[in-house]
Amino acid sequence: MDTLVEQERKLMALLTRRVHETFTDARAAGVPAEVFDDVESIAASMAAALPTTHVYDLLVGPFYDTGGLTRWWGISRQAVNKAVAAGTVIACRLDDGQWVYPTWQFTDARTVHPHLIALWKALRTAADPWTCAVWLRSPQPELGDRTAVDWVTAGRSVEEPLALARADAERWAA
């Protein structure tokens, strides 16, 4: 496993290469320099795609915060709040009131994995968001000690973890 320092070096090397390629392509296409005038905003948008860090990272993280998710998705805070209220994004509230969104729920296409939402909704009938997020990231013996997240994101049927989620939700509600 790489250390954070090693991960940072890898990321910086990749970013440096990709930024250089972008500027090389822009020069070749005759793009005016003014397109890149707001370097602070560009850097903030790039950094928004990085997960935030918190003590809960060890249990169910890493996370995006609301600002990071709005920039990554390119939508407003209100749209994120609407998704939270509709239960179409997995969100947990920190003690300070800030919302965080586990990164593992998102696909490469920047959408929320639909099977994870099905599991989330089944669990949320009987438990708070943190309990549900921990359940999703906890190894399940019935799934060969895989987490429900790992199970469904590997392309396996949602039916087995969904049955487990419903059974646990029923037990919690009793």
Side-chain angles (χ1 to χ4, degrees), residues 25-55:
D25 292 346
R27 280 191 296 277
V31 173
E34 295 80 35
V35 169
F36 299 98
D37 273 354
D38 193 359
V39 292
E40 287 291 327
S41 178
I42 294 168
S45 293
M46 291 170 72
L50 296 172
T52 59
T53 56
H54 192 277
V55 68

Side-chain angles (χ1 to χ4, degrees), residues 90 105 107 112-122 136 148-149 151-159 161-162 165:
I90 296 170
Q105 69 184 298
T107 67
V112 178
H113 196 292
H115 292 321
L116 294 178
I117 291 302
L119 292 167
W120 178 253
K121 287 182 176 182
L136 287 166
V149 170
W151 182 270
V152 299
T153 59
R156 295 175 182 216
S157 171
V158 71
E159 295 309 316
L162 191 54

